[in-house]
Amino acid sequence: MLNNIGLPGILLIAIVVLVLFGRGKISNLMGEVGKGITAFKKGVSEGGKELEDDKAETAKDVTPEDEKTKV
């Protein structure tokens, strides 16, 4: 169904959406989408840091006893 939508069809859809919602609402919506993406990226990076911290805390010292006494 959507295989035959070309550039004129996309422009027509964009114009209809702009007329229905107005430029202000669309701009606010895009701003909120940007904030959501930023918050998602921040959450993912914080989650990764938490996992790294947990792994570091649970790491075991596997150095043989002879090596520990030499140091």
Side-chain angles (χ1 to χ4, degrees), residues 27-64:
S27 128
N28 289 341
L29 178 65
M30 291 300 112
E32 294 297 322
V33 168
K35 288 178 187 176
I37 291 171
T38 304
F40 177 77
K41 287 182 180 180
K42 183 179 177 183
V44 168
S45 68
E46 287 177 358
K49 288 178 185 176
E50 270 186 32
L51 288 175
E52 288 175 7
D53 291 343
D54 289 345
K55 285 180 184 177
E57 289 175 2
T58 60
K60 295 181 181 178
D61 185 13
V62 293
T63 307

